Amino acid sequence: MRLRILGSGSSGNSALLVTPGARVLVDAGFSVLRLGKLLAEAGESLQRIDAVFLTHEHGDHASGVEGLRRHPHIRLFANRATARAIEDGLSYRPAWQTFETGTRIRFRDLDVESFAVPHDAQDPVGFRFSTGPEQDFFEPRRSLAWVTDLGHAPPDLGDRLRACDVVVVEANHCPRLLQADARRSWSTKQRISGRHGHLSNEAARDLLAGVTGPRWRRIYLVHLSRDCNSPAAVAAAFAPARLGCELAIVGHGEGTEYYDLS
Ligand SMILES: [Zn+2]
Ligand SMILES: [Zn+2]
């Protein structure tokens, strides 16, 4: 399984997961034009994408769904509440593949588990994507957790992250920069830092430091706020943490190279 984050931040989020049997996007928070360009840079194209798994309806995760009307071969996976909320803003009715939050579904050679996260959306989820046989010494199973857009870490989240090889989690804002930001109103700041907003750098660090999974190989810190965070602020917050694996901080609006989990 290979992961490539196409772009991350408050102005758009999407990542590409490639397995021997599937090419899927996690979220589609860019226009189809932009997604096409980002995929071309990755040596891929929308024609080759099989499915999109959507975490929630916010524009920075779902704004590309409108343009996917012209790509009906791409299956759109979301829970019912998210599908309904996205559909409200669309000019068409996608043929949704709906799942129940908290269940595990199979798509080609991928097992996809969804789980609820606390965020100000209809039914926001995180995902765990796994591929490979359950027990095979020569070809071990690989798992990736995807958790962005959550105001706090629910109690069962640590267990979900522990058994993964790669964890993608948001480090949204630096509380000091958020409080000092002159462009955001008090109520917006309350929403962002609230229990159903976004994880601060420190909250992300404490979540991960409280888990430190034995299999972790790399942690991606994503969804950085453009105005209220920076890679340097994330690095400073994480400096005292002993996570025992690589840390990749993805700057606002940036993507990554491919990372091979196999
Ligand atoms: Zn978001
Ligand atoms: Zn959101």
Side-chain angles (χ1 to χ4, degrees), residues 52-178:
V52 181
F53 286 85
L54 293 149
T55 58
H56 65 300
E57 70 273 21
H58 289 164
D60 58 324
H61 300 261
S63 64
V65 175
E66 174 63 35
L68 291 176
R69 177 178 201 158
R70 297 194 304 275
H71 299 269
H73 72 282
I74 298 178
R75 311 249 226 131
L76 294 174
F77 286 87
N79 60 40
R80 262 185 204 90
T82 298
R84 210 174 297 130
I86 293 173
E87 205 171 277
D88 278 347
L90 297 180
S91 66
Y92 75 113
R93 286 195 69 159
W96 293 105
Q97 310 284 312
T98 54
F99 58 77
E100 295 282 337
T101 300
T103 60
R104 173 166 143 169
I105 58 170
R106 180 86 178 165
F107 178 70
R108 306 221 176 151
D109 58 352
L110 267 177
D111 286 315
V112 186
E113 291 169 66
S114 61
F115 49 89
V117 292
H119 186 57
D120 54 0
Q122 293 298 322
D123 189 4
V125 298
F127 289 116
R128 185 158 68 180
F129 298 92
S130 306
T131 191
E134 296 278 356
Q135 305 247 327
D136 185 331
F137 181 78
F138 295 104
E139 194 196 334
R141 189 169 168 82
R142 297 297 182 207
S143 294
L144 174 140
W146 184 274
V147 196
T148 66
D149 299 66
L150 69 166
H152 64 277
D156 56 348
L157 182 58
D159 286 336
R160 298 185 188 282
L161 304 186
R162 188 169 288 114
C164 290
D165 302 279
V166 167
V167 173
V168 182
V169 68
E170 83 167 334
N172 178 257
H173 57 276
C174 163
R176 193 174 42 77
L177 294 175
L178 179 64

